[in-house]
Amino acid sequence: MQAVASTNAAELSIRTKFIETTADIHDLAYEWLRAGFFDSSLRPPGTALQQTGKTPGVFPGVSGVLEEVQAQKILRALSQRKDTDLMSESAVTTLSGRQVQIQSVDMKTVVTGIRPEALTPPGIRSTNGVAPPNFITEIVPLGPTLDVTASIAPDGQSIDLHLIPSVVEFLGYDSAESVGVYVDGKSELAKKPLPHFRIRNVDTHQKVLDGQTVLLGYWHTTDIVSGQVVQPIVKPGTVQTNLLVFVKATIVDAAGKPLHAPPRSGAEHKK
């Protein structure tokens, strides 16, 4: 008889991988299909996953639910490609129904503006002959983040996942005109900083069986320049990258060991 998890005390292990590739996502999907990695349990490209928010309900990229053997085959195939890199790999154990955040970020100091007092005379004042900086800086986390709420269903075998993966990139500073600033009452020119960030994210709900992996290959892209949303622009010569996220949810006991046997599918018997 298979154990059934108690939803009051059960824990969940959440393992995630963010993978970046310059390969076309749809080309990858058809390669995996031809290689026999998929069976009827995988949603084909373009199939709808349940989403929240105002975004469309259909993913034009690759998205679906994978059995363990499928996930391992796809990850192994990706690891052998020269155009693919593992951005981050993280894991956390959490209680059923509790929201957690998994981050693998770098903290970067970014110039975000000009100090307001420098814009009107007499401006900023020197101390011992040394003028303080004209600019405002902020420390910004860059890289992948996963917000996840995993809840064990009443049957003790399936898991409801609310996933919000995101990746924040700093693209540098856009061109800007110089503005007048004042130091010790004297006017001088300074370039107005226009920091350019790109945020790729998605907000989705998915129900999986214990031990299955959600694959997300579609992202909403937002470019933000100096706090304002702008139209994403791909500059000539820029190599475009695509993101794949794998999220595996496993019900575990107090010692962190899987409570159930790994789910099996016909794909395990394919050679």
Side-chain angles (χ1 to χ4, degrees):
M1 179 180 294
Q2 194 172 37
V4 175
S6 166
T7 56
N8 295 324
E11 296 184 345
L12 292 122
S13 169
I14 307 295
R15 304 188 68 87
T16 181
K17 290 186 179 183
F18 282 73
I19 293 175
E20 188 173 46
T21 179
T22 56
D24 183 90
I25 295 295
H26 293 90
D27 289 345
L28 287 176
Y30 289 119
E31 285 182 19
W32 301 336
L33 183 63
R34 289 194 301 268
F37 294 170
F38 296 168
D39 63 15
S40 58
S41 68
L42 183 72
R43 300 172 185 267
T47 300
L49 288 175
Q50 183 182 355
Q51 281 188 282
T52 61
K54 301 178 181 179
T55 53
V58 175
F59 291 82
V62 177
S63 300
V65 178
L66 305 171
E67 303 287 359
E68 176 66 11
V69 65
Q70 293 173 317
Q72 291 306 315
K73 286 181 178 180
I74 291 174
L75 288 167
R76 189 177 304 113
L78 288 170
S79 70
Q80 295 171 352
R81 298 182 64 96
K82 294 182 179 180
D83 57 2
T84 300
D85 293 310
L86 177 64
M87 295 182 68
S88 71
E89 180 175 8
S90 305
V92 67
T93 300
T94 182
L95 295 176
S96 176
R98 177 177 295 178
Q99 181 179 352
V100 294
Q101 184 176 84
I102 306 172
Q103 284 189 324
S104 181
V105 297
D106 295 319
M107 307 304 291
K108 182 177 179 62
T109 300
V110 177
V111 180
T112 57
I114 295 176
R115 293 172 59 185
E117 60 267 35
L119 297 175
T120 56
I124 56 178
R125 296 288 187 180
S126 299
T127 302
N128 297 325
V130 179
N134 293 327
F135 300 107
I136 300 169
T137 62
E138 293 182 18
I139 298 177
V140 181
L142 302 176
T145 297
L146 174 67
D147 288 288
V148 55
T149 303
S151 302
I152 301 172
D155 62 13
Q157 302 285 330
S158 54
I159 304 166
D160 294 309
L161 292 173
H162 181 195
L163 304 172
I164 310 177
S166 63
V167 174
V168 180
E169 302 170 85
F170 175 59
L171 304 182
Y173 298 94
D174 284 7
S175 299
E177 297 181 354
S178 296
V179 297
V181 296
Y182 296 89
V183 179
D184 294 330
K186 297 180 180 180
S187 176
E188 58 185 60
L189 293 177
K191 286 281 188 181
K192 182 179 179 179
L194 296 178
H196 191 154
F197 297 93
R198 176 163 294 164
I199 302 173
R200 290 183 279 183
N201 62 4
V202 69
D203 185 336
T204 182
H205 283 275
Q206 183 65 14
K207 188 170 185 176
V208 300
L209 294 177
D210 182 20
Q212 288 183 328
T213 296
V214 175
L215 165 60
L216 297 175
Y218 173 77
W219 299 80
H220 304 289
T221 300
T222 304
D223 277 23
I224 298 176
V225 176
S226 195
Q228 301 296 317
V229 176
V230 300
Q231 182 68 30
I233 297 176
V234 179
K235 297 180 180 179
T238 301
V239 177
Q240 296 191 61
T241 61
N242 296 302
L243 294 172
L244 294 168
V245 171
F246 296 79
V247 183
K248 179 180 179 181
T250 307
I251 302 172
V252 297
D253 60 20
K257 297 181 179 180
L259 193 63
H260 304 134
R264 298 175 62 86
S265 72
E268 294 187 51
H269 305 292
K270 295 180 181 180
K271 300 296 183 182

